[in-house]
Amino acid sequence: MDLKQLYQDIILDHGKSPRNFGKCVGYNSEAKGYNPLCGDLVQVYLKLNDKKKVEDLTFEGSGCAISMASASIMTDLVKGKSCEVAKKIINAFLKMVKSSSEIKSEDLDNDQITKIMSLSGVKQFPMRIKCATLSWHTLISAMEEKKEEVNTEAID
Ligand code: ZN
């Protein structure tokens, strides 16, 4: 199986049956995000414990397969990480979809790198980049406890 096919299969799988979908019990922060270009809506629920570790992370929303798959992969990879590591992963992801072709992270194992890399194909489709980054920007907002809704048109 070639890599392109593998990446497509991962996106289809996560798009069809998103992981960590719904409100998690005891979340202590949440944020909303909207991508008006495509109509993707996402709401992120974050449960941080007193050691600033992501104890639980879930999402709700509706939108295209890329936006849902990206949110699903994000929750899958960030859950269980410390806030500091989560931010590093978010930055590495945003860099990957916008500019670089690889992702370098000491905080992800090979399986997780493959999952995150499955979204690298959006670079060829500028319209889809915001579909992929929406949930990640929304997670940053939840971590920083911003009250404003994230709008991808207000982000570069
Ligand atoms: Zn979309």
Side-chain angles (χ1 to χ4, degrees):
M1 192 193 281
D2 69 32
L3 210 51
K4 215 175 146 187
Q5 184 64 48
L6 174 67
Y7 287 170
Q8 244 167 35
D9 288 349
I10 294 172
I11 291 174
L12 276 177
D13 174 40
H14 279 264
K16 267 190 205 156
S17 34
R19 320 297 194 269
N20 307 305
F21 197 87
K23 278 190 186 92
C24 59
V25 178
Y27 64 88
N28 41 32
S29 187
E30 62 180 306
K32 262 187 205 164
Y34 178 50
N35 171 19
L37 282 181
C38 182
D40 308 314
L41 272 168
V42 66
Q43 186 140 10
V44 163
Y45 302 97
L46 172 69
K47 185 182 181 188
L48 284 178
N49 69 13
D50 50 13
K51 293 193 177 89
K52 290 269 173 202
K53 191 180 140 183
V54 180
E55 206 166 279
D56 210 350
L57 176 63
T58 61
F59 78 102
E60 283 179 338
S62 59
C64 66
I66 297 280
S67 66
M68 293 298 106
S70 187
S72 171
I73 289 169
M74 176 190 78
T75 56
D76 207 17
L77 299 190
V78 170
K79 209 163 133 174
K81 302 279 196 293
S82 70
C83 241
E84 206 190 323
V85 168
K87 279 180 186 159
K88 277 201 252 173
I89 296 172
I90 295 168
N91 286 333
F93 170 79
L94 293 175
K95 202 174 155 200
M96 178 197 80
V97 288
K98 284 177 192 161
S99 50
S100 89
S101 54
E102 280 175 64
I103 185 149
K104 290 206 173 70
S105 173
E106 295 156 8
D107 307 301
L108 299 170
D109 64 28
N110 284 341
D111 252 23
Q112 293 174 319
I113 297 266
T114 305
K115 269 187 212 163
I116 212 167
M117 279 297 290
S118 72
L119 294 158
S120 62
V122 297
K123 258 199 306 292
Q124 294 157 272
F125 311 97
M127 286 280 290
R128 307 325 292 272
I129 292 178
K130 288 182 175 178
C131 301
T133 58
L134 172 66
S135 54
W136 299 73
H137 284 299
T138 308
L139 175 58
I140 297 174
S141 173
M143 284 180 155
E144 292 173 354
E145 293 184 55
K146 287 185 183 156
K147 300 290 172 224
E148 245 173 83
E149 181 177 300
V150 172
N151 186 317
T152 51
E153 285 309 279
I155 304 163
D156 66 62

